[in-house]
């Protein structure tokens, strides 16, 4: 299935203008180049391994989507939970 999507994208590349191709290239490079936050995490993991605190750091198989906060009416949910536990 991913191959079909890739083939469709490659077919559409021929219809793009040079400016659109430039923008696409920038976006793809953004996905391929680790960001500052990723570099910090990798450095942290490296320091844990070199210190001997951990031997292996397992990577998640998927990226979890960002969770959206929801608005509730009344008292905060944490207070409601505490009251119900009493």
């Amino acid at each position: 299935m991913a191959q079909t999507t890739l083939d469709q994208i490659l077919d559409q590349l021929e219809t793009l203008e040079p400016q659109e191709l430039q923008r696409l290239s920038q976006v793809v490079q953004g996905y391929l180049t680790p960001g500052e936050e990723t570099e910090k995490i990798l450095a942290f993991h490296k320091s844990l391994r070199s210190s001997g605190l951990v031997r292996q750091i397992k990577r998640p198989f998927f990226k979890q989507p960002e969770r959206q906060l929801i608005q509730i009416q009344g008292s905060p949910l944490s207070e409601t939970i505490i009251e119900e536990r009493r």
Side-chain angles (χ1 to χ4, degrees), residues 17-83:
E17 299 290 326
Q19 293 172 341
E20 293 170 324
L21 287 170
Q22 184 72 25
R23 175 73 177 123
L24 178 64
S25 175
Q26 292 171 351
V27 171
V28 169
Q29 285 301 317
Y31 280 101
L32 295 176
T33 307
E36 182 179 328
E37 191 67 27
T38 304
E39 290 177 8
K40 288 180 183 179
I41 291 170
L42 291 174
F44 174 68
H45 289 172
K46 184 178 178 181
S47 67
L48 285 174
R49 283 193 301 265
S50 65
S51 69
L53 292 173
V54 295
R55 288 188 214 152
Q56 177 185 14
I57 297 175
K58 296 182 180 179
R59 307 253 187 250
F61 291 109
F62 59 91
K63 184 176 182 180
Q64 294 183 350
E66 298 240 351
R67 296 183 179 173
Q68 297 290 330
L69 297 179
I70 58 171
Q71 297 293 326
I72 62 169
Q73 295 180 354
S75 62
L77 185 59
S78 58
E79 289 180 14
T80 305
I81 292 170
I82 292 170
E83 289 172 4

